Structures are given as structure tokens and as C-alpha cells.
């Protein structure tokens, strides 16, 4: 239970932006702050590393990943390869119930405030969940559980990069991007929907370059 509590605290702190990209995560400091043993902290850190929210560095302990980490571009490449294909299938196969779910998911996303007092400098938990639900719902019309599992894994792996990107591109009109995705999907325009999704993913990755 102690390890679970420390893990949850550490994960939330990284997601909120309490630790800067590349910042060290010192087990001794965390143990003192949380009032637990080093063994408990190390167990929690290993879980955070497993989720891609921290790196285990040889002879240097643990640290939050850096902006320049190659993994973010690799995840984006994978998403740009897989998700437009799944979206095309979804547009072709989705039924009326799928259309209704897409519209409802977009409505929820559009009506959820991106930022919330007390939740740090990144997107709020409510907005992040609405965002995930909208993107997943767009793809659910494909009817392929294996492809949707692949989406779930890639989404989880890219959550931290997505939050960083939002702070580096304050002028980006994500509202218009999501509206465009909804419109193309519901108009059954698979080509436009796929093109807009690729651009959406590319803009997120580009914010972490340089």
C-alpha cells in the first residue's frame, strides 16, 4: 500500500509538471518527503519507469525524460502510421451508434475546461480524459479490439509528451483541430479525416523539437 501511494504521488507530480523535463528523481529525497523507506520509493520509481514517465540512468539514478528524447518522435511515427489507418476503417465501418458516440465525445471535450486551478501547469485530469475518450471513440468504429489495444498503449506512452507540447504551443488552435476531425469523420470523408489526424499528431511532436 505504501508503494502504491508513493507511486500515485510521483506519477501525479510528473504529470502536473512539478518536475521539469530531465530533472533528477532522487530516491533519498522522495523517501524523506513521503516518510517511507528507500525500498518503497525504488519500487514506485520502477513502476513509473515502466510507464515511460521516468528513465533509469546507469550509475545516475532516476530522472524525468527530456524533451529531446528520441522516444517521443518514435511514438509519433508509430501513431502516424497506425491511427490514420484505423480511422479510415472506423469511418468505413462505423454505424449510427458510433456517430452518436463521436458527437457526444466531441461535445464533452469542447465543454471541458483544459486547465483547472490547483492541478499544475498542464492540462487538467478531466480534460485529459475527455481528450483521450474523443480520440478513442473516433477509432472505435473499426470494430477491431487488437487495433484499439494498440491505440491504448501508444496513447498512454505519449501522455507526458502531449502535456509538454501544450505548454510549448500556446497559440495552437486545438479546438478547431478536434472539430475538424469530428466533421470529417461524420461526413464519412476518410481521406480528409486521416490527413487531419496526421497533421494533428505531427503538430504535437513538432513542439518538442529544438
Amino acid at each position: 500500500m505504501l508503494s502504491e501511494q508513493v507511486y500515485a504521488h510521483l506519477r501525479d507530480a510528473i504529470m502536473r509538471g512539478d518536475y521539469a523535463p530531465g530533472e533528477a528523481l532522487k530516491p533519498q529525497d522522495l523517501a524523506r518527503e513521503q516518510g517511507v523507506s528507500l525500498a518503497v520509493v525504488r519500487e514506485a520509481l520502477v513502476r513509473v519507469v515502466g510507464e515511460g514517465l521516468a528513465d533509469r540512468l546507469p550509475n545516475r539514478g532516476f530522472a524525468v525524460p527530456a524533451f529531446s528524447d528520441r522516444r517521443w518522435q518514435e511514438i509519433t511515427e508509430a501513431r502516424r502510421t497506425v491511427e490514420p489507418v484505423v480511422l479510415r476503417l472506423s469511418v468505413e465501418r462505423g454505424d449510427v451508434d458510433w456517430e452518436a458516440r463521436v458527437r457526444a465525445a466531441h461535445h464533452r471535450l469542447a465543454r471541458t475546461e483544459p486547465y483547472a486551478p490547483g492541478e499544475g501547469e498542464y492540462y487538467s485530469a478531466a480534460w485529459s480524459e475527455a481528450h483521450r475518450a474523443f480520440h478513442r471513440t473516433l477509432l472505435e468504429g473499426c470494430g477491431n479490439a487488437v487495433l484499439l489495444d494498440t491505440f491504448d498503449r501508444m496513447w498512454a506512452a505519449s501522455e507526458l509528451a502531449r502535456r509538454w507540447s501544450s505548454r510549448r504551443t500556446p497559440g495552437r488552435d486545438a479546438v478547431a483541430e478536434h472539430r475538424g476531425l469530428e466533421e470529417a469523420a461524420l461526413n464519412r470523408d476518410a481521406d480528409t479525416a486521416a490527413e487531419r489526424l496526421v497533421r494533428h499528431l505531427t503538430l504535437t511532436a513538432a513542439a518538442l523539437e529544438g
Side-chain angles (χ1 to χ4, degrees), residues 117-184:
E119 288 202 31
E121 63 176 309
Y122 299 146
Y123 286 137
S124 70
W127 191 91
S128 294
E129 173 54 24
H131 187 216
R132 184 203 65 79
F134 171 67
H135 276 272
R136 195 183 198 282
T137 304
L138 278 174
L139 305 184
E140 285 175 351
C142 75
N144 187 314
V146 175
L147 288 173
L148 292 173
D149 279 346
T150 301
F151 165 81
D152 290 339
R153 290 195 299 273
M154 291 192 297
W155 184 273
S158 60
E159 178 62 19
L160 186 56
R162 189 159 38 249
R163 293 184 180 216
W164 286 345
S165 176
S166 70
R167 301 305 293 171
R168 290 166 68 94
T169 53
R172 182 179 174 185
D173 193 351
V175 172
E177 292 175 36
H178 292 132
R179 184 171 60 247
L181 281 167
E182 180 209 24
E183 291 172 352

Side-chain angles (χ1 to χ4, degrees), residues 27-70:
Q28 295 88 346
D29 291 349
L30 289 167
R32 184 170 57 254
E33 292 167 5
Q34 298 297 307
V36 296
S37 69
L38 275 174
V40 168
V41 169
R42 289 186 179 280
E43 184 178 341
L45 281 166
V46 167
R47 287 187 63 184
V48 174
V49 169
E51 291 190 357
L53 298 178
D55 291 328
R56 190 166 192 168
L57 309 176
N59 303 317
R60 291 167 53 199
F62 300 86
V64 176
F67 279 138
S68 59
D69 197 310
R70 174 64 183 164

Side-chain angles (χ1 to χ4, degrees), residues 178-194:
H178 292 132
R179 184 171 60 247
L181 281 167
E182 180 209 24
E183 291 172 352
L186 296 185
N187 286 336
R188 302 292 176 155
D189 186 343
D191 288 341
T192 299

